[in-house]
Amino acid sequence: VLTGTVKSVSRGSPQEPGWAVVSVLNLYKSGGLPGVPQPARGAALRLQLPCRLCPALKKGASYVLMGRVGPDGGALLPPDAFVVPHRPQQQQQVLGNLSKRPCRGSP
């Protein structure tokens, strides 16, 4: 789970995936997968968008994003990903609590 501001969006052709470049505001929960680098605050993160139409991202807007790590280790934002506009005053406490919660699942 991370918050970020969309810097650019490229939807690609029907046969090719699109991409979104997001500037990371904060990283709240990561899978901690071995070999997958964690983006730092302010870093540009490139997210693959398999669907040309969704999620609907607007350049310059900030979002709470929860996607997946693709087979190649890259960030993937599928159509069913959790994407909502970022509202710092309303979401800060909830996201902070999420980052402190330990994972109870197995990898």
Side-chain angles (χ1 to χ4, degrees), residues 51-98:
C51 177
R52 295 188 73 222
L53 302 175
C54 53
L57 299 174
K58 185 175 170 184
K59 183 178 174 181
S62 295
Y63 296 94
V64 176
L65 305 161
M66 184 172 19
R68 296 189 192 128
V69 175
D72 63 351
L76 180 65
L77 201 59
D80 62 345
F82 181 80
V83 178
V84 295
H86 179 50
R87 307 225 187 309
Q89 294 81 11
Q90 299 163 348
Q91 298 164 341
Q92 195 64 34
Q93 183 177 2
V94 172
L95 292 170
N97 290 339
L98 174 67

Side-chain angles (χ1 to χ4, degrees), residues 9-63:
V9 178
S10 169
R11 290 296 174 178
S13 69
Q15 297 81 19
E16 297 291 321
W19 297 92
V21 176
V22 176
S23 175
V24 176
L25 297 173
N26 211 335
L27 182 66
Y28 294 96
K29 196 77 168 178
S30 65
L33 299 172
V36 177
Q38 301 301 309
R41 185 182 190 133
L45 180 63
R46 189 173 186 212
L47 303 169
Q48 183 180 355
L49 306 172
C51 177
R52 295 188 73 222
L53 302 175
C54 53
L57 299 174
K58 185 175 170 184
K59 183 178 174 181
S62 295
Y63 296 94

